């Protein structure tokens, strides 16, 4: 009987590992809890072109759901726009930088991307900091922090 219990415990341990085990705890939390990420900083390609808070061109946030869906809301000039879609949590092969790959199903006008398709990449700078990759092709640099719901 003890051998059967030990075998079950070992099997559970072996099969409970996922491909996310290298990801930091806060990033893996995306798989288990709703998270809200607020835009806190915009920057351009010119020196001293950074803006924060109410000085930014727009205000926006993402809400990531554990089922792999997201909502993005942006307020600009008193008009609120919304986008929705799905996301996956991934890791670059050549380094240990984790990122979110978003695929939009609506609100294409809110996509901040160099790809010209319905995808957007957000890179984890730390457990509580995300940045987009739009600045690589002359879009604004957008930085987000994880906020309490």
């Amino acid at each position: 009987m003890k051998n059967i219990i030990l075998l079950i415990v070992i099997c559970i341990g072996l099969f409970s590992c996922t491909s996310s085990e290298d990801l930091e705890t806060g990033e893996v939390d995306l798989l288990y809890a709703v998270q809200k990420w607020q835009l806190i900083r915009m920057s351009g390609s010119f020196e001293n072109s950074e803006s924060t808070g109410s000085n930014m061109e727009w205000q926006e946030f993402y809400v990531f759901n554990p089922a792999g869906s997201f909502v993005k809301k942006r307020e600009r000039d008193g008009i609120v726009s919304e986008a929705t879609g799905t996301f996956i949590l991934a890791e670059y092969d050549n380094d240990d930088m984790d990122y979110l790959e978003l695929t939009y199903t609506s609100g294409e006008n809110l996509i901040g991307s160099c790809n010209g398709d319905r995808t957007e990449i957000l890179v984890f700078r730390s457990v509580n900091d995300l940045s987009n990759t739009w600045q690589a092709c002359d879009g604004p640099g957008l930085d987000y922090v994880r906020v309490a719901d």
Side-chain angles (χ1 to χ4, degrees):
M1 184 67 172
K2 288 182 183 178
N3 289 338
I4 292 173
I5 293 172
L6 181 60
L7 182 61
I8 291 171
V9 170
I10 290 172
C11 287
I12 290 171
L14 288 174
F15 294 109
S16 66
C17 296
T18 67
S19 60
S20 305
E21 65 185 293
D22 292 336
L23 302 174
E24 293 186 39
T25 304
E27 296 156 10
V28 174
D29 285 349
L30 276 170
L31 304 174
Y32 305 109
V34 174
Q35 290 188 14
K36 183 176 181 180
W37 292 76
Q38 182 74 43
L39 177 66
I40 60 157
R41 182 175 29 260
M42 300 177 83
S43 57
S45 55
F46 300 107
E47 192 173 324
N48 297 322
S49 62
E50 184 177 293
S51 59
T52 59
S54 62
N55 293 327
M56 296 184 296
E57 283 184 54
W58 64 79
Q59 304 295 311
E60 76 180 19
F61 64 87
Y62 293 92
V63 175
F64 296 103
N65 298 297
S69 65
F70 74 89
V71 174
K72 179 179 185 179
K73 289 192 178 184
R74 178 182 293 169
E75 181 182 345
R76 184 176 197 167
D77 299 326
I79 299 170
V80 177
S81 303
E82 182 175 296
T84 60
T86 59
F87 72 91
I88 59 169
L89 181 59
E91 185 174 334
Y92 286 111
D93 291 333
N94 57 349
D95 59 23
D96 286 336
M97 187 158 294
D98 302 326
Y99 66 94
L100 297 173
E101 182 176 326
L102 284 57
T103 302
Y104 284 73
T105 55
S106 70
E108 295 81 14
N109 59 320
L110 298 185
I111 299 173
S113 174
C114 299
N115 299 335
D117 59 10
R118 299 174 76 88
T119 63
E120 181 177 359
I121 303 293
L122 298 172
V123 178
F124 283 95
R125 300 294 180 205
S126 74
V127 174
N128 293 310
D129 296 301
L130 278 173
S131 296
N132 74 343
T133 59
W134 197 10
Q135 193 169 19
C137 59
D138 294 330
L142 304 174
D143 298 316
Y144 302 85
V145 294
R146 185 176 171 183
V147 295
D149 293 333

